[in-house]
């Protein structure tokens, strides 16, 4: 044991053999590409959904089909908004995700018809909607997380600050070039 204590200990530099920063940046880039491809696919699907919705408005009009198409389109719009928020701020908005869940449950209840669903399914949907509603209210009233830092506000502040700096740089370059 004494022999081991006498050996000099050299700390291993992880940066020397593995550049974690570049790996993380590459993975984030790939993740952003995946989200962008999801946005493009979702947008294309929304265009097709609008087309089928307009086709369903040709007489004879089926109220349930038109209502289901409109509610489906609203869900797709909210999902698209969720992806855009993720691309802009690199976070998933809990509020938007809860809104999508609420609209999805309501869509299913409307499309199926409340009279055609069983009592237990209606009760389960009501309980689920109640929990989602409580979650929405609690998000507003709960104190900020992360030891006094509200992550959503901090991310928004950073984004606004970065945007203001870019605008200031653009204005500075525009003013600098106008003097020549």
């Amino acid at each position: 044991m004494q022999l081991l204590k006498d050996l000099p200990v050299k700390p291993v530099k992880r940066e020397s053999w593995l550049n974690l920063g570049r790996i993380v940046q590459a993975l984030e880039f790939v993740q952003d590409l995946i989200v962008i491809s999801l946005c493009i696919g979702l947008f294309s699907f929304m265009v097709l959904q609008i087309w089928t919705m307009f086709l369903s408005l040709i007489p004879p009009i089926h109220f349930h089909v038109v209502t289901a198409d409109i509610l489906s389109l609203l869900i797709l719009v909210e999902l698209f908004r969720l992806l855009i928020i993720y691309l802009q701020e690199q976070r998933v908005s809990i509020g938007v995700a809860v809104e999508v869940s609420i609209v999805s449950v309501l869509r299913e209840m409307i499309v199926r018809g409340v009279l055609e669903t069983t009592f237990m399914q209606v009760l389960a949907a009501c309980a689920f909607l109640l929990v989602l509603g409580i979650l929405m209210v609690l998000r507003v009233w709960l104190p900020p997380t992360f030891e006094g830092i509200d992550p959503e506000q901090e991310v928004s502040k950073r984004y606004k600050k970065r945007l203001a700096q870019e605008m200031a740089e653009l204005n500075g370059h525009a003013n600098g070039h106008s003097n020549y």
Side-chain angles (χ1 to χ4, degrees):
M1 284 305 257
Q2 184 62 26
L3 186 63
L4 289 175
K5 289 181 182 177
D6 293 339
L7 288 174
V9 178
K10 293 182 184 177
V12 177
K13 289 187 177 181
R14 290 177 66 178
E15 294 295 323
S16 64
W17 60 276
L18 183 63
N19 191 344
L20 292 177
R22 281 193 181 155
I23 292 173
V24 169
Q25 284 179 340
L27 289 174
E28 286 178 348
F29 178 74
V30 170
Q31 187 175 7
D32 286 345
L33 286 178
I34 292 170
V35 173
I36 289 170
S37 65
L38 284 173
C39 285
I40 292 169
L42 190 59
F43 186 79
S44 302
F45 187 70
M46 283 192 293
V47 170
L48 291 174
Q49 188 76 20
I50 289 173
W51 177 253
T52 57
M53 186 176 67
F54 282 129
L55 290 179
S56 68
L57 290 175
I58 297 173
I61 297 175
H62 301 286
F63 178 73
H64 283 297
V65 174
V66 174
T67 306
D69 287 343
I70 291 171
L71 291 173
S72 296
L73 193 61
L74 287 174
I75 292 169
L76 294 175
V77 167
E78 289 297 317
L79 286 173
F80 188 77
R81 190 173 76 159
L82 186 68
L83 291 173
I84 295 298
I85 289 172
Y86 177 80
L87 281 174
Q88 288 176 342
E89 301 182 10
Q90 299 297 312
R91 68 175 182 86
V92 175
S93 173
I94 300 297
V96 176
V98 170
E99 290 170 9
V100 169
S101 302
I102 290 172
V103 173
S104 298
V105 169
L106 292 177
R107 178 200 177 275
E108 288 301 314
M109 294 302 293
I110 291 171
V111 169
R112 276 190 181 177
V114 177
L115 298 176
E116 297 172 7
T117 19
T118 65
F119 172 73
M120 289 304 288
Q121 289 174 332
V122 172
L123 192 61
C126 289
F128 186 63
L129 289 172
L130 182 66
V131 168
L132 291 175
I134 291 170
L135 183 60
M136 288 290 285
V137 171
L138 286 179
R139 270 192 74 248
V140 175
W141 290 42
L142 283 177
T145 55
F146 296 107
E147 298 178 19
I149 299 172
D150 186 357
E152 291 182 6
Q153 287 181 355
E154 291 296 317
V155 169
S156 294
K157 284 179 188 177
R158 272 189 271 147
Y159 179 74
K160 289 176 185 176
K161 185 178 178 181
R162 187 176 71 215
L163 189 63
Q165 287 174 345
E166 291 173 1
M167 293 301 290
E169 289 176 7
L170 287 175
N171 289 337
H173 288 296
N175 292 338
H177 291 293
S178 63
N179 293 338
Y180 291 110

